[in-house]
Amino acid sequence: MMNIVLFGPPGSGKGTQATYIVNSKKLTHISTGDIFRKNISQNTKLGQLASDFMNKGQLVPDQLTIDLLETEIDTYKNSNGFIFDGFPRTTTQAEAFNNLMVSKNMNLSMALFLEVCEDTLVQRLLNRGMESGRSDDQDESVIRNRIQVYEQQTSVLKDYYAKQLMDSFYIINGEADVKDISKKILSIVSNYKIFY
Ligand code: AMP
């Protein structure tokens, strides 16, 4: 089983790259952002709880997100492995995630970090907002807030995973051509050896 954490600031290309990996390696893609958006569109209780935070560009509270992630993992019990896209986003989530992995007899194989500068992120998100209609991508102040939240709460995970995973933590230049990034990621993933 191969389990990959894919993280980086909003607009760094996590969703796009996750799709390439999933198609090539037949893993299960778990995007907490996608799950929240689906719940909002279906007007579920979870969607109602999450939408205020998302509209302001804030993080949904940790416990809600951790519970959601556990339910999602349990839904795909027979999976070959997972790509976690946009989770964890805080140290609390990362710690809960480690405990969850132990309790489910799973291992984190690697973490991939996509690095992109702020100006590029803002431009990409505004473009995506125009194309997709996604509401939190349409307002520049919400976008800047998401990037700030990322800097304050998520960027610490770089050090966290560099220490925890050592050789299995990778920093990838997310400003390169999208196909070149995916080639690089696929070569990293393909070279990963699973030890039993
Ligand atoms: P994303 O689609 O990954 O850009 O996430 C969109 C929004 O969903 C974020 O701005 C947060 O409000 C919320 N969200 C997604 N994943 C998480 C997470 N792991 N923890 C807290 N909030 C999250």
Side-chain angles (χ1 to χ4, degrees):
M1 195 183 196
M2 183 183 275
N3 296 304
I4 303 172
V5 160
L6 183 61
F7 77 109
S12 56
K14 300 185 291 293
T16 307
Q17 295 303 332
T19 307
Y20 283 119
I21 310 172
V22 163
N23 289 341
S24 156
K25 299 288 165 194
K26 307 283 171 261
L27 302 178
T28 304
H29 181 193
I30 298 188
S31 156
T32 39
D34 283 350
I35 301 168
F36 286 132
R37 277 185 291 279
K38 188 165 150 214
N39 276 273
I40 290 172
S41 73
Q42 295 171 346
N43 198 25
T44 65
K45 177 111 190 290
L46 176 66
Q48 288 166 11
L49 287 168
S51 72
D52 268 0
F53 296 98
M54 291 175 73
N55 289 338
K56 290 184 198 141
Q58 295 168 354
L59 294 184
V60 177
D62 282 332
Q63 200 53 53
L64 208 60
T65 311
I66 293 161
D67 291 346
L68 164 80
L69 189 90
E70 178 162 18
T71 309
E72 204 64 14
I73 292 177
D74 289 344
T75 308
Y76 299 99
K77 276 213 167 78
N78 297 322
S79 174
N80 286 333
F82 295 90
I83 307 236
F84 299 97
D85 157 8
F87 182 95
R89 261 172 152 106
T90 63
T91 309
T92 304
Q93 290 181 18
E95 279 166 2
F97 186 50
N98 281 341
N99 294 335
L100 207 69
M101 292 259 137
V102 172
S103 74
K104 295 187 187 301
N105 223 358
M106 290 165 68
N107 246 322
L108 180 56
S109 316
M110 66 177 76
L112 306 171
F113 166 65
L114 287 167
E115 193 164 49
V116 177
C117 77
E118 177 162 350
D119 286 348
T120 307
L121 295 173
V122 173
Q123 208 41 58
R124 280 189 190 173
L125 291 170
L126 286 170
N127 288 342
R128 187 170 75 182
M130 280 192 287
E131 282 161 17
S132 70
R134 191 175 140 174
S135 59
D136 60 345
D137 283 344
Q138 300 198 13
D139 178 333
E140 188 165 336
S141 65
V142 173
I143 289 177
R144 294 224 179 251
N145 191 40
R146 283 159 63 204
I147 295 172
Q148 208 180 349
V149 164
Y150 167 81
E151 288 301 337
Q152 287 165 352
Q153 300 188 57
T154 310
S155 64
V156 291
L157 295 182
K158 266 188 280 179
D159 284 347
Y160 184 93
Y161 281 126
K163 273 198 201 112
Q164 178 175 317
L165 296 168
M166 294 193 278
D167 286 354
S168 302
F169 170 71
Y170 297 89
I171 296 181
I172 291 155
N173 172 11
E175 304 214 24
D177 176 77
V178 70
K179 287 259 160 40
D180 291 338
I181 300 172
S182 76
K183 263 192 220 148
K184 169 144 202 168
I185 291 181
L186 286 178
S187 87
I188 293 171
V189 172
S190 301
N191 283 326
Y192 177 78
K193 303 270 183 297
I194 300 177
F195 298 104
Y196 293 97

